[in-house]
């Protein structure tokens, strides 16, 4: 059975994927930009009140703040990614510290290993999502009921780490759907989310109610999305506001689509704080529509059972 050797392969890869990426001070995984970051100098000074501030027309892709330093860092290959001085300094310190702990010979070998972890996770997602429904269900059942909870949690965390590490790099690309490999990693995480929910469908004769999920649903939250620009994501969501992520265990044939390749479509993985910011943009947009004589209803799905609401086992509009 293909699902058996796939489960064996996951068990073999797990030690190599677990805790394999460096983390920032908040515990969110990062990866270096694949190209060299070149120092650039702003030429227009706009203020000298407390300290000199400069106009760069750049937003730091790590902290999300407007870059007003004289010097900043831009991709040498002209990718749309910029770092302020402080974030560039912190990222280099984190990578240097991780290099010392990892045992790699040099920065190049460390980067090669980091991107190997990314590549393997994306390939796992591609392979699993293109299996038949029966094979996916069997693999999910194996992970949900046969794997020890700590092992399953480690597998989930490895997938979360990869997605978190790439979120900022993908969000900076104008065509967010272009990195299909990244979205297969997201699909793999959604598959694990569905597998995690399987115990909720089971009920033993000696139990009063249904079981809970294997892990708390909050374990699947992608904190790196908080580094993204809420307005940009809200504008992407507006193009397909009714999009819903399919059940990875039930969809007959999985295909990447513009609906799937949007962070807000994966509402079960998005931090509440980020959704709150997007909701503010939505409210403001509705106010503007009223001023122009147009307003549309906001779709909101809320379960009646309080336990289901607390477990967040639902997918609101965003």
């Amino acid at each position: 059975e293909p699902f058996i050797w796939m489960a064996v392969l996951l068990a073999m890869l797990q030690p190599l994927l677990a805790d394999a990426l460096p983390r920032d001070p908040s515990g969110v995984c990062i990866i270096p930009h694949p190209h060299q970051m070149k120092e650039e100098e702003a030429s227009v000074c706009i203020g000298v009140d407390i300290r000199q501030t400069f106009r760069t027309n750049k937003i730091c892709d790590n902290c999300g703040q407007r870059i007003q330093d004289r010097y900043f860092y831009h991709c040498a290959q002209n990718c749309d990614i910029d770092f302020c001085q402080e974030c560039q300094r912190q990222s280099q310190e984190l990578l240097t510290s991780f290099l010392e702990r990892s045992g790699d010979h040099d920065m190049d070998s460390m980067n090669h290993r980091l991107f190997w972890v990314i590549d393997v996770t994306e390939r796992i997602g591609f392979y699993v999502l293109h299996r038949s429904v029966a094979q996916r269900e069997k693999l999910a059942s194996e992970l949900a009921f046969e794997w020890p909870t700590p092992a399953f949690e480690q597998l989930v965390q490895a997938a979360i780490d990869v997605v978190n590490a790439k979120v900022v790099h993908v969000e900076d690309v104008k065509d967010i759907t272009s990195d299909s490999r990244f979205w297969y990693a997201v699909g793999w995480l959604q598959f694990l989310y569905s597998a995690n929910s399987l115990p909720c469908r089971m009920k033993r004769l000696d139990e009063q109610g249904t079981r809970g999920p294997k892990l708390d649903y909050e374990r699947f939250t992608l904190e790196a999305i908080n580094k993204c620009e809420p307005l940009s994501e809200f504008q992407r969501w507006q193009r397909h506001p009714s999009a819903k992520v399919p059940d990875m265990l039930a969809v007959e044939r999985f295909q990447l689509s513009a609906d799937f390749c949007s962070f807000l479509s994966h509402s079960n993985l998005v931090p509440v704080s980020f959704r709150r910011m997007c909701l503010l943009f939505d409210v403001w947009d509705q106010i503007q529509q009223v001023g122009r004589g147009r307003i549309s209803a906001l779709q909101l799905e809320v379960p009646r059972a309080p336990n289901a609401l607390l477990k967040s086992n639902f997918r609101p509009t965003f």
Side-chain angles (χ1 to χ4, degrees):
E1 287 285 350
F3 84 92
I4 295 179
W5 70 259
M6 186 63 193
V8 173
L9 179 61
L10 288 174
M12 294 173 62
L13 287 172
Q14 188 170 337
L16 301 176
L17 302 179
D19 201 23
L21 303 177
R23 300 179 186 276
D24 65 16
S26 64
V28 177
C29 283
I30 63 170
I31 54 171
H33 186 64
H35 307 137
Q36 181 182 359
M37 297 296 290
K38 183 176 65 173
E39 184 181 72
E40 296 197 357
E41 181 178 1
S43 58
V44 180
C45 179
I46 59 175
V48 291
D49 187 11
I50 299 176
R51 67 180 183 88
Q52 283 187 318
T53 56
F54 293 81
R55 179 183 294 123
T56 63
N57 297 325
K58 301 287 186 179
I59 301 291
C60 177
D61 291 297
N62 185 61
C63 65
Q65 301 298 314
R66 188 176 300 277
I67 299 178
Q68 295 182 324
D69 299 323
R70 181 172 185 173
Y71 297 99
F72 63 97
Y73 292 83
H74 180 71
C75 174
Q77 299 294 323
N78 208 31
C79 295
D80 188 17
I81 185 167
D82 304 279
F83 284 165
C84 64
Q85 278 188 309
E86 182 62 18
C87 287
Q88 175 69 8
R89 181 189 64 79
Q90 289 183 0
S91 65
Q92 291 304 307
E93 289 180 354
L94 287 170
L95 292 173
T96 301
S97 175
F98 186 78
L99 173 63
E100 295 172 354
R101 299 194 310 270
S102 66
D104 293 300
H105 297 296
D106 51 36
M107 194 67 74
D108 288 339
S109 61
M110 183 191 73
N111 289 346
H112 178 78
R113 182 174 58 81
L114 297 183
F115 285 103
W116 177 86
V117 171
I118 302 289
D119 178 69
V120 168
T121 302
E122 293 169 341
R123 289 175 182 269
I124 290 173
F126 180 88
Y127 179 84
V128 171
L129 297 180
H130 284 289
R131 298 305 94 194
S132 66
V133 172
Q135 291 174 352
R136 273 181 271 138
E137 287 179 340
K138 289 179 179 179
L139 177 60
S141 181
E142 174 76 14
L143 297 176
F145 299 111
E146 302 301 330
W147 275 41
T149 299
F152 180 75
E153 184 174 19
Q154 193 176 54
L155 185 67
V156 169
Q157 187 61 54
I160 291 172
D161 288 346
V162 167
V163 178
N164 269 336
K166 285 198 68 177
V167 159
V168 172
H169 301 274
V170 171
E171 198 261 348
D172 291 328
V173 180
K174 293 181 180 179
D175 181 10
I176 199 172
T177 66
S178 61
D179 192 347
S180 60
R181 294 173 62 93
F182 168 79
W183 293 107
Y184 275 110
V186 175
W188 166 236
L189 184 57
Q190 288 285 14
F191 173 87
L192 294 174
Y193 186 94
S194 296
N196 183 64
S197 302
L198 286 181
C200 299
R201 308 177 189 178
M202 305 295 293
K203 184 177 180 180
R204 292 180 175 177
L205 294 176
D206 58 345
E207 293 178 343
Q208 296 298 322
T210 57
R211 300 182 185 181
K214 194 173 182 73
L215 302 175
D216 289 339
Y217 291 112
E218 289 76 11
R219 288 287 290 106
F220 290 80
T221 302
L222 297 171
E223 296 296 341
I225 292 180
N226 282 324
K227 297 181 180 180
C228 298
E229 172 55 48
L231 178 58
S232 299
E233 292 306 314
F234 172 70
Q235 290 171 341
R236 290 191 184 100
W237 171 82
Q238 282 185 308
R239 301 170 194 162
H240 40 81
S242 299
K244 294 183 179 180
V245 175
D247 183 351
M248 294 304 172
L249 304 184
V251 59
E252 285 291 336
R253 183 180 180 186
F254 176 79
Q255 287 184 321
L256 292 179
S257 63
D259 291 354
F260 187 88
C261 299
S262 169
F263 292 125
L264 288 178
S265 295
H266 301 268
S267 58
N268 57 322
L269 308 179
V270 177
V272 173
S273 56
F274 190 84
R275 281 187 279 172
R276 185 184 300 117
M277 290 296 299
C278 293
L279 180 59
L280 292 176
F281 286 121
D282 194 19
V283 171
W284 174 249
D285 185 68
Q286 291 293 326
I287 293 174
Q288 297 295 100
Q289 295 291 342
V290 171
R292 292 191 290 266
R294 300 190 303 272
I295 188 169
S296 56
L298 176 65
Q299 179 184 354
L300 181 66
E301 297 179 8
V302 181
R304 297 176 63 90
N307 290 337
L309 181 60
L310 291 174
K311 293 175 183 177
S312 301
N313 191 19
F314 71 100
R315 298 182 180 184
T317 307
F318 52 72

